[in-house]
Amino acid sequence: MNRQPTLRLKATAAVLLCLALGAQMPVAQAKDGPAPAVPSAAAAQSFDAEVDAFLSAYWAMFPDSAVAAGRYAEAARLPAPTEALRKQQLAFAELWLQRLAGLSKNLALTPGQTGDLLLLDNHLQALRWSLTELRSDRWDATEYNVADPFAQLLNKPDFAPLPQRLGLIDQRLRQVPAYYKAALANLHEPSPVHLRLAIEQNSGALSLFRDDIPRAIKEAGLKPAEAAAITAHNAKAQAALQAYIAALSKIEKKQLADGSGRSFRLGKALFEQKFAYEIQASVDAPTLFQRALAEKETLLQRMSAYADELWPQLFGAEAVPADRLAKIARVIDKLSARHVAPERFVEDIKAQIPALEKWVVEHDLLTLDPSRPLVVRETPSYMRGVAGASISAPGLMDPKGVTYYNVDPLDKYTPEQAESFLREYNHWVLQVLNIHEAVPGHYVQLLYSNKSPSKVKALFGNGAMVEGWAVYAERMMMEGGWGAVDGKPSAEMGLMYAKWNLRVVSNAILDYSVHVLGMSEAEAMNLLQREAFQSNTEAAEKWHRAQVSSTQLSSYFTGFSEILALREQLKAKQGKDFKLKAFHEEFLSHGSAPVRMVQRLMLDKAAN
Ligand code: ZN
Ligand code: ZN
C-alpha cells in the first residue's frame, strides 16, 4: 500500500514529476571565482526572491500542481496538453535551469539553500528529460485525467465559499473538451495496460460530472441563469470525457485484435535514468537491485527462525517441512486466519489510530500535532484501484487543510477475494499498515514536511525519503516493542513484520526485474507468492502496479535502508548523547528532501 500527497500515481506528467528530483552534484560546488565567505542577509533576500519568481512561473505553467499544493490563484486554467504546450514547458525548463545556476555562481549560499537549488535543478532536468526522452505523453494514457483538481475545488470549503469555487470550476469545465481532444491526439501506440487503467480511472471520474458537480450547483444557491450556464458547461465536459473513453476503448479493441501497442516495460536506459532522477539514492539502480536481493535472504533467515519458534504451538508434533519456504508459508497461513470481518475493515483502521498516537507520545518518539487530526475515509471512487490505502495530505499553502487516510472499501471484491485480502492484512499486518500510513508514518511526516522552513523541499519532495520514512517508522516501532504481549516480544508480530518488510524488498526486486530484465508474469507471481508469501489477490495487484508504474516501487526499500544507515552513523558518532526523538525531529525538519541530502546536513552538524 501506498501513501501520498503527490505520492500516488498522478494523472498528469507535471504532478508525477514533483517526485522527479535528483541531485547529482555534491553540495558546495558549482561556484566560479571568489564568493563572499559569509552568507549575507541581502543574499538570502535575493535567493528567496528568485525562488519565489521561479515558483510563480512554475504554478502558471503547471496549474494542476498548484491546486494540488493548495494554491488556487491559477485554478481557473486547464491547459490542453498540445505540442505547443510541450514546447513551452521545455523552454520553461531550459530558462530556469540557467537562471537558478546563476544563483549558485553569484551568491554565497547556506547548505539549506544549496540543497534547495540542487532539488530544483534536478526537478528541471527531469522535466526536460521527460519531455524529450521518456515521452510518456505519447504512450501512457493515464497521464490524462481532469478529475483531481475538480475534486479539490469541490472539497476544500476553507479556501473560498462554494459559489466562488463553482466559478473556478465553471471556467475549468469550459476547457475540458479541448483538453481531451489534445490528449487523444498525443497518443501513439499507447501501452495496452496503461490504456486499460486510463479507461477505468476516467470512467471513475464520470461520477464527478454526473453527481458531484450537479449536487454542488444545487447546494450553492446560485441565480438561475448562473446555475444554467454551469450546468450546460458541465454537460459538455461530461460528453467530452465520454467521447475520450469511447475513443480509448476503440483503440483497445484494435490492439486486442492486432496485438499492437508499446510495451509497458521502460527498458534499461530509461529505467536507470528515471531511477536516478526520481529516487535520488546514493547508489544506482543495479546496485540497489543487488542490495535488495541480499536483504531478501537475510529476512528469509529471520523468518525461518520465527517459524521454528512458533511451529510447536501451532502444529504440535507434526514434522517440520524440510523446505524453508514451505515451512514459513505454513506458519504464516495458520496465523493469517486472525483478521477483522470485511465490513469492519475501515472502522477497525479508524479505531487503531488513537492507540498509535498514545504510544508515540508515551515512548517519546516524536512530538505530534493534535490540532491537525487525521480523517480516515473510504477512498473517493476516482482515486481507487492503484494502492488500496493512501494518504492525501494538504498542500504546503493550505495550512488548515485536512489529512485524509484513504482506505478502499472491500466491496469491489468477491467474498473469496475479500478473504484473501483480509488474510494478507491480518491482525498483525493491519497494525503495521497503520503505522506506515498514519502514525508515525506518512501522516506525521507530511505534517512535519509542510512546516519545514524550506518551501522547495516541502513542495518538491523526494518520494524515496517519504516512503523510506514510513518503512523506517515500522521498524522503529517494532524496535520499541510495539506488538509485544505481556511485555514479551511477540514471535507472531516478528514474523508478520518480517513478511511485510520482505514485501518492500520484493517491490524493489520486482520493479527492476520487470522493467529492465524482462521478468514474465509467471516469474513475478513466483517471486511474490512463493518467495514473499503474498496472497493471490495481493500478488496480482502488485504485478499490475509493477506494469503501470516504474521506479516508484523501488522508493520504499531505497529510502528505508538509507535512513537506517544514517541513524546508525549518528549513533556511532554521538554515543550516549544520541537521542532517538531528537534524531527523528531533526531528520523530519528538513522537509521531504532526499535522504542523502539530509544525511550530509546532519553529519556536518554533528561534526561541529
Ligand atoms: Zn507508503
Ligand atoms: Zn478468514
Side-chain angles (χ1 to χ4, degrees):
M1 303 222 177
N2 198 12
R3 44 114 201 155
Q4 166 36 343
T6 42
L7 310 167
R8 182 183 275 273
L9 269 182
K10 272 292 191 168
T12 68
V15 178
L16 197 63
L17 277 162
C18 287
L19 299 178
L21 316 163
Q24 310 300 328
M25 298 178 280
V27 167
Q29 62 107 60
K31 281 196 194 127
D32 294 339
V38 180
S40 66
Q45 257 177 20
S46 49
F47 177 86
D48 290 347
E50 189 72 344
V51 167
D52 283 347
F54 166 78
L55 287 175
S56 299
Y58 187 81
W59 300 137
M61 186 56 73
F62 300 103
D64 284 10
S65 300
V67 173
R71 189 193 147 107
Y72 301 98
E74 309 287 345
R77 292 177 46 243
L78 173 60
T82 57
E83 177 62 14
L85 182 67
R86 188 181 73 88
K87 291 209 170 105
Q88 282 170 31
Q89 291 175 344
L90 197 52
F92 169 89
E94 299 286 6
L95 172 74
W96 282 99
L97 277 166
Q98 280 184 28
R99 266 182 76 162
L100 295 174
L103 272 183
S104 54
K105 269 198 200 113
N106 301 325
L107 297 174
L109 301 173
T110 66
Q113 290 172 332
T114 305
D116 284 359
L117 279 188
L118 289 170
L119 281 180
L120 292 179
D121 185 72
N122 257 279
H123 185 81
L124 291 165
Q125 285 193 45
L127 175 61
R128 180 171 62 188
W129 174 78
S130 173
L131 291 166
T132 53
E133 303 290 324
L134 183 64
R135 292 306 309 266
S136 47
D137 57 322
R138 293 155 93 37
W139 53 265
D140 180 357
T142 66
E143 288 196 0
Y144 307 112
N145 188 330
V146 297
D148 202 42
F150 278 112
Q152 297 266 357
L153 291 171
L154 279 179
N155 300 327
K156 294 278 181 191
D158 283 350
F159 100 88
L162 183 56
Q164 202 179 320
R165 285 181 282 133
L166 273 172
L168 291 171
I169 286 172
D170 185 33
Q171 295 189 58
R172 287 186 79 86
L173 282 171
R174 295 185 223 184
Q175 301 163 79
V176 170
Y179 175 94
Y180 277 117
K181 194 172 160 228
L184 192 61
N186 279 347
L187 293 171
H188 298 277
E189 297 276 306
S191 136
V193 58
H194 292 89
L195 189 67
R196 175 94 297 266
L197 182 60
I199 291 170
E200 285 164 12
Q201 287 180 335
N202 279 287
S203 301
L206 275 172
S207 67
L208 264 172
F209 304 100
R210 203 179 44 219
D211 309 323
D212 302 346
I213 293 176
R215 192 186 319 121
I217 294 172
K218 244 183 234 156
E219 279 168 16
L222 302 176
K223 290 185 194 123
E226 279 174 354
I230 303 184
T231 302
H233 298 142
N234 184 53
K236 277 191 185 153
Q238 188 181 339
L241 177 53
Q242 279 164 328
Y244 178 67
I245 296 167
L248 295 189
S249 302
K250 202 172 146 195
I251 297 173
E252 187 179 50
K253 221 177 232 160
K254 179 183 174 294
Q255 288 184 336
L256 282 172
D258 65 11
S260 62
R262 181 201 189 278
S263 167
F264 59 85
R265 299 180 203 275
L266 279 197
K268 186 174 169 64
L270 288 179
F271 182 89
E272 290 181 1
Q273 185 58 65
K274 190 177 178 193
F275 181 94
Y277 281 134
E278 297 226 359
I279 305 294
Q280 242 193 299
S282 50
V283 296
D284 62 8
T287 309
L288 191 274
F289 176 63
Q290 292 301 329
R291 189 188 285 176
L293 289 176
E295 186 62 19
K296 179 179 140 199
E297 178 51 30
T298 304
L299 283 170
L300 286 174
Q301 285 174 18
R302 198 175 304 158
M303 294 173 81
S304 179
Y306 281 127
D308 287 335
E309 185 183 341
L310 288 163
W311 187 271
Q313 75 195 57
L314 295 173
F315 300 104
E318 190 187 328
V320 181
D323 177 54
R324 176 174 73 163
L325 295 174
K327 172 184 70 186
I328 299 170
R330 278 287 301 279
V331 174
I332 287 173
D333 187 58
K334 186 91 175 177
L335 293 177
S336 299
R338 187 166 169 199
H339 61 73
V340 302
E343 65 278 6
R344 294 263 326 146
F345 186 63
V346 178
E347 282 310 305
D348 218 66
I349 288 178
K350 237 178 234 177
Q352 274 183 27
I353 306 304
L356 288 167
E357 289 176 332
K358 189 160 170 267
W359 173 278
V360 165
V361 171
E362 283 178 2
H363 290 74
D364 215 23
L365 298 174
L366 269 168
T367 306
L368 301 180
D369 182 354
S371 72
R372 305 288 303 276
L374 180 67
V375 176
V376 182
R377 68 171 178 186
E378 295 194 352
T379 312
S381 57
Y382 69 90
M383 289 170 70
R384 285 185 200 170
V386 177
S390 65
I391 292 287
S392 297
L396 177 69
M397 281 158 291
D398 186 8
K400 284 185 286 181
V402 174
T403 308
Y404 292 103
Y405 184 173
N406 307 305
V407 182
D408 284 17
L410 306 185
D411 48 18
K412 66 176 170 172
Y413 293 135
T414 64
E416 292 74 28
Q417 287 172 329
E419 172 66 14
S420 167
F421 181 89
L422 288 167
R423 289 176 63 83
E424 189 84 23
Y425 293 93
N426 57 51
H427 174 72
W428 296 277
V429 171
L430 195 56
Q431 297 172 48
V432 188
L433 173 70
N434 290 329
I435 291 170
H436 177 103
E437 297 295 339
V439 180
H442 291 316
Y443 153 65
V444 171
Q445 187 268 320
L446 292 166
L447 285 185
Y448 269 89
S449 182
N450 278 3
K451 286 178 188 159
S452 152
S454 163
K455 251 190 256 183
V456 169
K457 292 192 187 77
L459 285 168
F460 297 91
N462 174 262
M465 181 275 173
V466 173
E467 281 307 342
W469 170 262
V471 176
Y472 166 76
E474 304 159 5
R475 171 68 58 93
M476 178 258 286
M477 292 288 278
M478 297 302 139
E479 288 169 340
W482 176 268
V485 179
D486 301 329
K488 272 186 241 139
S490 146
E492 289 91 341
M493 183 55 101
L495 178 62
M496 286 299 182
Y497 165 67
K499 174 185 179 245
W500 174 269
N501 199 231
L502 178 58
R503 185 163 80 162
V504 159
V505 175
S506 309
N507 281 348
I509 296 172
L510 181 71
D511 195 22
Y512 191 83
S513 301
V514 164
H515 287 287
V516 178
L517 305 178
M519 178 181 253
S520 70
E521 179 173 1
E523 288 164 340
M525 294 301 275
N526 183 62
L527 168 72
L528 299 172
Q529 287 195 270
R530 201 179 114 74
E531 300 180 336
F533 315 102
Q534 294 178 15
S535 66
N536 184 267
T537 307
E538 183 72 17
E541 288 187 354
K542 189 56 59 67
W543 163 245
H544 181 249
R545 191 164 146 202
Q547 296 170 79
V548 297
S549 72
S550 47
T551 71
Q552 202 270 336
L553 282 171
S554 297
S555 61
Y556 306 77
F557 176 63
T558 314
F560 164 66
S561 57
E562 297 200 324
I563 293 170
L564 208 54
L566 169 59
R567 187 187 72 180
E568 298 311 307
Q569 271 177 300
L570 281 165
K571 255 189 201 165
K573 255 199 162 99
Q574 298 174 344
K576 58 182 184 339
D577 293 337
F578 178 86
K579 296 274 183 305
L580 194 55
K581 185 182 191 180
F583 166 72
H584 293 153
E585 294 186 349
E586 196 192 337
F587 180 79
L588 294 180
S589 75
H590 293 286
S592 305
V595 180
R596 74 171 184 204
M597 194 179 280
V598 182
Q599 177 185 32
R600 207 146 37 203
L601 295 171
M602 287 182 79
L603 289 176
D604 280 357
K605 199 175 151 198
N608 289 330

